[in-house]
Amino acid sequence: MGRVYLVGAGPGAADLLTLRAARLLAAADVVFHDALVEGDILALAAKATRIAVGKRCGAHSTSQRFINKRLVDAASRHEVVVRLKGGDPLLFGRAQEELDALAAAGVEVEVVPGVTAALAAAADLRVSLTRRGVARSVAFVTPRCGEGEPPHAWARAAAGADTVAVYMGAGDAEAVAAALAAHGVPRERPVLVIESASRPGVRSHGGVLAELPALAARRGGGPVLILLGEVARDAACARPAASPRTQRSAAR
Amino acid sequence: MGRVYLVGAGPGAADLLTLRAARLLAAADVVFHDALVEGDILALAAKATRIAVGKRCGAHSTSQRFINKRLVDAASRHEVVVRLKGGDPLLFGRAQEELDALAAAGVEVEVVPGVTAALAAAADLRVSLTRRGVARSVAFVTPRCGEGEPPHAWARAAAGADTVAVYMGAGDAEAVAAALAAHGVPRERPVLVIESASRPGVRSHGGVLAELPALAARRGGGPVLILLGEVARDAACARPAASPRTQRSAAR
């Protein structure tokens, strides 16, 4: 009986994987990965069978129950089974269903945390999410909800926090802005829309909450993170964190 | 003129550094690090001068202004200057003062995000911080406040979120519990106190909010993270995420 490793793939850049994640990918017999995981990260799983199990922006490319079953089956045939999830597995990673299914089947599981998208976006912008005298609370929220969930439950948490990171919200920017305004967030609250954080094509657009739908409409096809709060005021423009020059200077 | 890299050292385990952080440490001419960064991580900065600049749990071992000045000075004399901070530099890392001081001095800065303590604690406990139908918002807060800050401002954000991660709160557990209760958080809300997340000595104590002071009193000398919310109910006991057995099996 093998072991299943729920591994965070980080925000996108391959060198933002943890050393442990890279080691486990190299040792993996099989890797089940989300759609958003980049090819250069999967390439680290040199000897593994790689199986895409979808979940692009919440779309159920593969049903969760089927993924659970495949993980249990794989653990019965392989020693090192990696379930690779974008960002961190335990933050908007829908990991609990998999953890519960593996526990129910008696499969040993370890979780390897990863760098979550909001922290990579903040790094690209060189904006601290917390700031003395300005921000001591950061809410990570998503407007994306499962069946039977109250659609606006997330907005209360966002309204109470100094800084807010909205995951998977750009597609519903109109509703996101409306829900925040309905919970008393000022329309003049600074906002940043960051696309493809940590990736070569990273770009960002800044403004205020009232402009969020317009800012989100300028996005391309990359994953988008929305940052809201005073810390987003006067933010630097996003640029790739690891420029070729950096790679060279740091490689010496 | 060199460049300053604000680098996240991650939660404690050396192999939870990112590949980029490890590469930059190896390339660093000088490393300014917080007190909580472990020796085996500093050892990766083989050719660098290593300078501890304190900040253990908010204590001002070295004044922030003095740290800023030393970073600027170092950038004028070295090519790769690393400012190494526990966890992620932009989440409770007091990074903004350093970013502003370096920008004012015309020093180029890059930020390398890291794995933050709450995600490492959740990984050790194998508890997803978000869960379909249960938790779609996670608040990262700290009760530790600077001069002139309203002491309870953080509690409103915590009260509005499904899941809460309290940083640097164990020493004030009595006040933390009282502030949360005052903001309407039920005294029966499940809570977990995790000490030394990701480190060999990791341990956790679970209960409900009303028991938080008693649970926090059982801690030792390691860094402590408090998790609050329904997701903390029936959590597995914390155990080191990378057991020797894992190291072996994954190393093959």
Side-chain angles (χ1 to χ4, degrees):
Chain A
M1 191 66 149
R3 187 180 287 204
V4 174
Y5 299 85
L6 258 56
V7 176
D15 66 348
L16 289 181
L17 272 178
T18 62
L19 298 167
R20 187 180 301 171
R23 192 195 73 226
L24 283 166
L25 285 173
D29 302 303
V30 55
V31 175
F32 295 90
H33 63 89
D34 290 349
L36 284 171
V37 176
E38 304 278 350
D40 53 353
I41 290 175
L42 296 176
L44 297 173
K47 73 184 182 77
T49 307
R50 303 168 210 161
I51 302 164
V53 288
K55 293 273 188 63
R56 183 181 287 281
C57 280
H60 298 308
S61 321
T62 309
S63 90
Q64 188 60 60
R65 188 176 304 141
F66 185 62
I67 294 173
N68 299 347
K69 185 181 183 313
R70 293 194 71 174
L71 289 173
V72 172
D73 293 347
S76 68
R77 292 197 309 277
H78 304 286
E79 177 153 18
V80 181
V81 177
V82 169
R83 173 69 172 107
L84 191 63
K85 291 170 175 287
D88 178 85
L90 303 182
L91 194 62
F92 307 120
R94 300 277 309 278
Q96 200 61 49
E97 291 103 317
E98 295 172 18
L99 287 167
D100 294 345
L102 291 162
V107 177
E108 278 201 74
V109 183
E110 277 183 27
V111 181
V112 179
V115 173
T116 190
L119 299 180
D124 285 347
L125 294 160
R126 300 179 295 290
V127 167
S128 183
L129 298 181
T130 54
R131 195 176 305 187
R132 209 149 51 117
V134 177
R136 289 159 58 200
S137 58
V138 185
F140 291 43
V141 302
T142 183
R144 198 168 289 279
C145 60
E147 290 137 28
E149 290 186 271
H152 284 186
W154 63 272
R156 182 172 165 244
D162 298 323
T163 303
V164 182
V166 182
Y167 285 67
M168 298 172 281
D172 307 312
E174 199 86 46
V176 166
L180 290 168
H183 282 75
V185 179
R187 292 165 50 80
E188 303 70 32
R189 180 81 49 93
V191 67
L192 287 162
V193 175
I194 307 97
E195 178 172 7
S196 301
S198 90
R199 304 174 195 214
V202 60
R203 56 199 186 130
S204 64
H205 306 293
V208 297
L209 178 56
E211 303 167 312
L212 178 57
L215 295 169
R218 295 169 63 184
R219 74 188 189 279
V224 173
L225 195 286
I226 298 167
L227 286 178
L228 181 77
E230 271 307 310
V231 301
R233 193 184 296 277
D234 309 322
C237 290
R239 66 176 186 200
S243 62
R245 185 199 138 188
T246 309
Q247 302 277 14
R248 278 197 302 278
S249 67
R252 283 221 251 83
Chain B
M1 190 67 150
R3 187 181 287 204
V4 174
Y5 299 85
L6 258 56
V7 176
D15 66 347
L16 290 180
L17 272 178
T18 62
L19 297 168
R20 187 181 301 171
R23 192 194 72 224
L24 283 166
L25 284 173
D29 303 303
V30 55
V31 175
F32 295 90
H33 63 88
D34 289 349
L36 284 170
V37 176
E38 304 278 351
D40 54 353
I41 290 175
L42 296 176
L44 297 173
K47 72 184 183 77
T49 307
R50 303 169 210 162
I51 302 165
V53 288
K55 293 271 189 63
R56 181 180 290 281
C57 281
H60 298 308
S61 320
T62 310
S63 90
Q64 187 61 59
R65 188 178 304 140
F66 185 62
I67 294 173
N68 299 346
K69 184 180 182 315
R70 294 194 69 174
L71 289 173
V72 172
D73 293 345
S76 69
R77 292 197 309 278
H78 303 288
E79 176 153 18
V80 181
V81 177
V82 169
R83 172 68 172 106
L84 191 62
K85 290 170 173 288
D88 179 84
L90 302 183
L91 193 62
F92 307 121
R94 301 277 307 276
Q96 200 62 48
E97 291 103 317
E98 295 173 18
L99 287 167
D100 294 345
L102 291 162
V107 177
E108 277 202 74
V109 182
E110 276 184 27
V111 180
V112 179
V115 173
T116 190
L119 299 180
D124 285 348
L125 294 161
R126 300 178 297 289
V127 168
S128 184
L129 298 181
T130 54
R131 196 176 304 187
R132 206 149 51 118
V134 177
R136 289 159 57 200
S137 58
V138 184
F140 292 60
V141 302
T142 184
R144 199 170 287 280
C145 61
E147 291 136 27
E149 290 186 90
H152 284 186
W154 63 273
R156 181 171 166 245
D162 299 323
T163 304
V164 182
V166 182
Y167 285 67
M168 299 172 280
D172 307 312
E174 199 86 45
V176 166
L180 290 169
H183 281 75
V185 178
R187 292 165 48 81
E188 302 70 32
R189 178 84 47 96
V191 66
L192 287 162
V193 175
I194 306 97
E195 178 172 7
S196 300
S198 89
R199 302 172 196 216
V202 60
R203 57 199 184 128
S204 65
H205 306 294
V208 297
L209 178 57
E211 303 167 311
L212 177 59
L215 295 169
R218 295 169 63 184
R219 74 189 189 279
V224 173
L225 195 286
I226 299 168
L227 285 178
L228 181 78
E230 271 307 310
V231 300
R233 192 184 295 280
D234 309 323
C237 291
R239 66 175 187 200
S243 64
R245 186 201 138 189
T246 309
Q247 301 279 14
R248 280 198 302 280
S249 68
R252 281 222 246 83

Short mmCIF file of all heavy atoms in Angstrom, two decimals, chain B residues 213-235:
data_model
loop_
_atom_site.label_atom_id
_atom_site.label_comp_id
_atom_site.label_asym_id
_atom_site.label_seq_id
_atom_site.Cartn_x
_atom_site.Cartn_y
_atom_site.Cartn_z
N PRO B 213 -7.73 29.73 26.13
CA PRO B 213 -6.65 30.08 27.06
C PRO B 213 -5.98 28.85 27.66
O PRO B 213 -4.75 28.78 27.76
CB PRO B 213 -7.37 30.92 28.13
CG PRO B 213 -8.54 31.51 27.40
CD PRO B 213 -8.99 30.43 26.45
N ALA B 214 -6.79 27.84 28.03
CA ALA B 214 -6.23 26.61 28.61
C ALA B 214 -5.40 25.84 27.58
O ALA B 214 -4.32 25.33 27.89
CB ALA B 214 -7.35 25.74 29.14
N LEU B 215 -5.88 25.80 26.35
CA LEU B 215 -5.15 25.09 25.29
C LEU B 215 -3.82 25.80 25.01
O LEU B 215 -2.78 25.15 24.86
CB LEU B 215 -5.99 25.03 24.01
CG LEU B 215 -7.29 24.22 24.08
CD1 LEU B 215 -8.13 24.48 22.84
CD2 LEU B 215 -6.98 22.73 24.22
N ALA B 216 -3.86 27.13 24.95
CA ALA B 216 -2.65 27.89 24.65
C ALA B 216 -1.63 27.77 25.77
O ALA B 216 -0.42 27.80 25.54
CB ALA B 216 -2.99 29.36 24.40
N ALA B 217 -2.13 27.58 26.99
CA ALA B 217 -1.23 27.48 28.16
C ALA B 217 -0.40 26.20 28.10
O ALA B 217 0.64 26.10 28.76
CB ALA B 217 -2.05 27.52 29.45
N ARG B 218 -0.84 25.23 27.29
CA ARG B 218 -0.11 23.96 27.21
C ARG B 218 1.04 24.02 26.20
O ARG B 218 1.77 23.05 26.01
CB ARG B 218 -1.08 22.84 26.81
CG ARG B 218 -2.14 22.58 27.87
CD ARG B 218 -3.25 21.68 27.37
NE ARG B 218 -2.77 20.32 27.02
CZ ARG B 218 -3.55 19.38 26.48
NH1 ARG B 218 -4.82 19.64 26.23
NH2 ARG B 218 -3.05 18.20 26.20
N ARG B 219 1.22 25.18 25.57
CA ARG B 219 2.25 25.27 24.53
C ARG B 219 3.65 25.30 25.14
O ARG B 219 3.83 25.64 26.31
CB ARG B 219 2.05 26.53 23.68
CG ARG B 219 2.43 27.83 24.38
CD ARG B 219 2.00 29.03 23.58
NE ARG B 219 2.53 30.29 24.10
CZ ARG B 219 2.00 30.94 25.11
NH1 ARG B 219 0.94 30.43 25.74
NH2 ARG B 219 2.52 32.08 25.52
N GLY B 220 4.63 24.96 24.30
CA GLY B 220 6.02 25.06 24.72
C GLY B 220 6.62 26.34 24.16
O GLY B 220 5.94 27.36 24.09
N GLY B 221 7.87 26.28 23.69
CA GLY B 221 8.53 27.50 23.25
C GLY B 221 8.47 27.76 21.75
O GLY B 221 8.99 28.75 21.26
N GLY B 222 7.82 26.86 20.98
CA GLY B 222 7.80 27.01 19.52
C GLY B 222 6.75 28.01 19.06
O GLY B 222 5.87 28.40 19.83
N PRO B 223 6.84 28.44 17.79
CA PRO B 223 5.83 29.35 17.26
C PRO B 223 4.46 28.67 17.23
O PRO B 223 4.35 27.49 16.93
CB PRO B 223 6.32 29.66 15.84
CG PRO B 223 7.31 28.61 15.51
CD PRO B 223 7.88 28.11 16.80
N VAL B 224 3.43 29.42 17.57
CA VAL B 224 2.08 28.86 17.71
C VAL B 224 1.11 29.54 16.74
O VAL B 224 1.18 30.75 16.52
CB VAL B 224 1.57 29.04 19.15
CG1 VAL B 224 0.10 28.60 19.26
CG2 VAL B 224 2.43 28.23 20.12
N LEU B 225 0.25 28.73 16.14
CA LEU B 225 -0.78 29.22 15.25
C LEU B 225 -2.11 28.73 15.79
O LEU B 225 -2.22 27.56 16.19
CB LEU B 225 -0.51 28.67 13.84
CG LEU B 225 -1.18 29.23 12.59
CD1 LEU B 225 -2.64 28.80 12.52
CD2 LEU B 225 -1.06 30.75 12.50
N ILE B 226 -3.11 29.61 15.83
CA ILE B 226 -4.44 29.23 16.29
C ILE B 226 -5.37 29.16 15.09
O ILE B 226 -5.44 30.10 14.30
CB ILE B 226 -4.98 30.26 17.31
CG1 ILE B 226 -4.06 30.33 18.54
CG2 ILE B 226 -6.41 29.92 17.72
CD1 ILE B 226 -4.35 31.52 19.45
N LEU B 227 -6.05 28.03 14.94
CA LEU B 227 -7.05 27.87 13.88
C LEU B 227 -8.43 27.79 14.53
O LEU B 227 -8.62 27.07 15.51
CB LEU B 227 -6.80 26.62 13.05
CG LEU B 227 -5.65 26.66 12.05
CD1 LEU B 227 -5.53 25.31 11.34
CD2 LEU B 227 -5.85 27.77 11.02
N LEU B 228 -9.39 28.52 13.95
CA LEU B 228 -10.72 28.60 14.51
C LEU B 228 -11.74 28.38 13.40
O LEU B 228 -11.60 28.91 12.30
CB LEU B 228 -10.93 29.99 15.11
CG LEU B 228 -12.25 30.33 15.78
CD1 LEU B 228 -12.31 29.72 17.17
CD2 LEU B 228 -12.41 31.85 15.87
N GLY B 229 -12.76 27.57 13.69
CA GLY B 229 -13.82 27.38 12.71
C GLY B 229 -14.30 25.94 12.64
O GLY B 229 -13.66 25.05 13.20
N GLU B 230 -15.41 25.73 11.94
CA GLU B 230 -15.98 24.38 11.81
C GLU B 230 -14.98 23.39 11.23
O GLU B 230 -14.99 22.21 11.58
CB GLU B 230 -17.23 24.41 10.93
CG GLU B 230 -18.51 24.67 11.69
CD GLU B 230 -18.69 23.71 12.87
OE1 GLU B 230 -18.57 22.48 12.68
OE2 GLU B 230 -18.92 24.21 13.99
N VAL B 231 -14.09 23.87 10.34
CA VAL B 231 -13.14 22.95 9.71
C VAL B 231 -12.19 22.34 10.75
O VAL B 231 -11.56 21.32 10.50
CB VAL B 231 -12.30 23.64 8.60
CG1 VAL B 231 -13.21 24.19 7.50
CG2 VAL B 231 -11.42 24.73 9.18
N ALA B 232 -12.10 23.01 11.94
CA ALA B 232 -11.19 22.52 12.97
C ALA B 232 -11.81 21.39 13.80
O ALA B 232 -11.14 20.79 14.64
CB ALA B 232 -10.77 23.66 13.90
N ARG B 233 -13.09 21.10 13.57
CA ARG B 233 -13.75 20.04 14.34
C ARG B 233 -13.20 18.68 13.91
O ARG B 233 -12.95 18.45 12.73
CB ARG B 233 -15.26 20.11 14.09
CG ARG B 233 -16.11 19.27 15.02
CD ARG B 233 -17.57 19.33 14.64
NE ARG B 233 -18.17 20.66 14.77
CZ ARG B 233 -18.60 21.17 15.93
NH1 ARG B 233 -18.49 20.48 17.04
NH2 ARG B 233 -19.13 22.38 15.96
N ASP B 234 -12.99 17.81 14.88
CA ASP B 234 -12.53 16.45 14.59
C ASP B 234 -11.26 16.44 13.74
O ASP B 234 -11.14 15.59 12.84
CB ASP B 234 -13.62 15.65 13.84
CG ASP B 234 -14.96 15.73 14.55
OD1 ASP B 234 -14.97 15.73 15.79
OD2 ASP B 234 -15.99 15.83 13.85
N ALA B 235 -10.37 17.37 13.97
CA ALA B 235 -9.12 17.38 13.20
C ALA B 235 -8.22 16.24 13.65
O ALA B 235 -8.25 15.83 14.80
CB ALA B 235 -8.40 18.71 13.39
#
